[in-house]
Amino acid sequence: MNKKKVLITGATGFLGSVVLKKMLEKNFKVTAIVRDERKLSDQIIKKNPTNLIVKKGDITNVNLKGKSDFDIILHSAAETSKKKNTLKTDVASNIIQGTVNMLRLASEKNVKKFIYISSGAVYGMHSPLKKGWKESHGISTSNFEEKAAYAFSKKLSEILVFNWASKHKNRSYLILRPFSLYGEGLKSEYGFAIKDFIDCRLNNKNIFLQSNGKLIKRSYLHVEDYSSWILKLIQEDYENITLNIGSKNIYSLYELANIIANIEIKGLSKVQVVNPENKILSNYIPNLNKLTKLGFKEKQSFEHRLKEIILNKYENTN
């Protein structure tokens, strides 16, 4: 069987680096567009895989010359750091112009499938439905929300991807909307509460929630499950689907903080969780009926993986 030839963006990010590693392990022929080769995973750099070509460039002005061809473009690049997301015109430009350029490249290279990694943020940050948003739900983000520019830019990019596939014969798309993910590579600059809580535990500091954590719910999926599902979608030739990506296991922010504060780790003191009374509702969870019907199942245990991450960080700093 011929191995897929994949062009990937976002390969140096938290999620993209794990997906790239798995693709290389499965002997896909991968071309990665990166701004800085030094930010590639150390494991990848040390192995110097023969099935990886690295192209230095920016997705907003990429220009791949030559006869290179690809079966699939997996486009996931978007700026995720809090600091670099302060200027919303830059957020919109990076997401929309990057997608436009990758779609133009897909047409130029006669790519058959375009996989776009969107975000659960396209729905908004609070689902009024207990079971979360379905793929058919529209945007409920207010123009005044912090993530509004990000959410609307992601949604517009989805529309562009859909339009690209519908205007070309024998072209298809996958639009994936990941919710909250976690794993070893989380950095403080991403602004994820789970990373901040772990840092508090490691530094023997109490965890102070900014609002009533009992009213804020999330679906936490490990990056190993996420990356395995990406490969399954590619290998089994799924096409023309918009799909929520998340975990069935739902935790409130208060529950998450208490798990991290009290996991038994020899030599590491437990800490307290301080929960204020102010009320901010945030039911940021996906409806996963569609994902489940397609046969996708989690293999990672949330609490086991959390303990593993904390223990590894604790051992590496002592």
Side-chain angles (χ1 to χ4, degrees):
M1 182 178 70
N2 291 329
K3 292 296 181 182
K4 304 286 187 183
K5 291 176 285 187
V6 181
L7 174 69
I8 182 172
T9 68
T12 60
F14 167 55
L15 302 179
S17 59
V18 181
V19 174
L20 174 60
K21 184 172 174 282
K22 280 199 177 292
M23 284 183 173
L24 295 175
E25 288 172 353
K26 294 292 183 181
N27 292 318
F28 283 27
K29 295 180 180 178
V30 184
T31 299
I33 298 175
V34 300
R35 283 180 289 189
D36 188 348
E37 295 179 46
R38 295 169 298 179
K39 290 185 178 180
L40 282 168
S41 163
D42 288 341
Q43 291 176 314
I44 293 171
I45 292 173
K46 287 175 183 176
K47 288 183 178 180
N48 192 25
T50 57
N51 56 329
L52 173 64
I53 297 172
V54 178
K55 296 286 188 181
K56 188 174 180 180
D58 191 298
I59 58 167
T60 58
N61 57 20
V62 67
N63 182 18
L64 292 186
K65 297 179 181 179
K67 296 183 179 180
S68 55
D69 64 309
F70 317 101
D71 301 307
I72 297 167
I73 288 180
L74 174 59
H75 178 43
S76 62
E79 189 55 65
T80 54
S81 74
K82 272 187 171 181
K83 184 178 180 181
K84 293 182 180 178
N85 271 311
T86 53
L87 192 59
K88 302 310 178 186
T89 50
D90 287 349
V91 172
S93 175
N94 181 271
I95 294 172
I96 297 169
Q97 190 58 55
T99 303
V100 168
N101 285 350
M102 297 313 298
L103 287 170
R104 285 174 177 165
L105 184 65
S107 296
E108 177 187 323
K109 299 293 183 181
N110 198 30
V111 172
K112 299 302 181 186
K113 182 178 290 184
F114 196 100
I115 303 176
Y116 181 57
I117 308 300
S118 184
S119 169
V122 298
Y123 302 107
M125 296 307 292
H126 177 62
S127 171
L129 303 177
K130 187 176 179 180
K131 292 186 177 180
W133 287 287
K134 292 182 179 180
E135 287 83 355
S136 57
H137 289 150
I139 291 181
S140 63
T141 303
S142 160
N143 292 346
F144 302 101
E145 288 184 31
E146 175 62 25
K147 284 197 170 184
Y150 177 85
F152 284 107
S153 297
K154 281 286 190 180
K155 183 60 180 178
L156 177 55
S157 292
E158 288 186 7
I159 294 169
L160 295 175
V161 171
F162 177 81
N163 181 260
W164 170 85
S166 64
K167 296 296 182 183
H168 294 81
K169 289 184 179 180
N170 302 319
R171 307 271 176 98
S172 65
Y173 71 89
L174 290 176
I175 293 171
L176 309 180
R177 295 170 177 166
F179 280 69
S180 301
L181 295 111
Y182 73 102
E184 290 284 354
L186 279 176
K187 298 178 182 178
S188 297
E189 65 188 54
Y190 297 147
F192 293 141
I194 195 167
K195 172 65 168 59
D196 296 337
F197 295 169
I198 289 172
D199 286 345
C200 285
R201 176 72 189 276
L202 292 171
N203 292 301
N204 196 28
K205 294 180 179 179
N206 290 336
I207 299 172
F208 288 85
L209 303 182
Q210 295 180 0
S211 56
N212 191 336
K214 295 178 182 179
L215 305 177
I216 299 172
K217 295 180 180 179
R218 298 286 186 269
S219 151
Y220 293 98
L221 182 73
H222 195 275
V223 289
E224 282 295 320
D225 281 322
Y226 168 81
S227 56
S228 295
W229 293 354
I230 296 287
L231 260 66
K232 177 180 171 69
L233 286 163
I234 292 174
Q235 291 173 314
E236 299 185 14
D237 288 327
Y238 288 87
E239 59 182 36
N240 300 331
I241 299 173
T242 299
L243 197 62
N244 287 339
I245 302 292
S247 170
K248 283 186 174 182
N249 299 311
I250 309 301
Y251 295 86
S252 71
L253 214 59
Y254 181 72
E255 289 171 329
L256 171 66
N258 275 283
I259 290 170
I260 293 172
N262 294 290
I263 286 178
E264 292 284 350
I265 295 178
K266 187 177 180 181
L268 185 60
S269 300
K270 295 180 181 179
V271 297
Q272 298 295 314
V273 176
V274 180
N275 191 46
E277 290 299 320
N278 57 316
K279 296 181 179 181
I280 298 177
L281 295 173
S282 180
N283 191 41
Y284 184 62
I285 60 173
N287 182 301
L288 298 173
N289 289 344
K290 194 172 178 180
L291 185 77
T292 302
K293 286 178 181 178
L294 291 174
F296 290 86
K297 296 179 181 179
E298 290 175 74
K299 294 183 179 179
Q300 311 302 320
S301 162
F302 182 61
E303 293 196 25
H304 172 76
R305 279 297 200 168
L306 265 185
K307 183 173 182 176
E308 186 180 74
I309 292 168
I310 297 169
L311 182 59
N312 286 344
K313 288 182 177 294
Y314 177 62
E315 290 177 341
N316 289 333
T317 54
N318 287 277

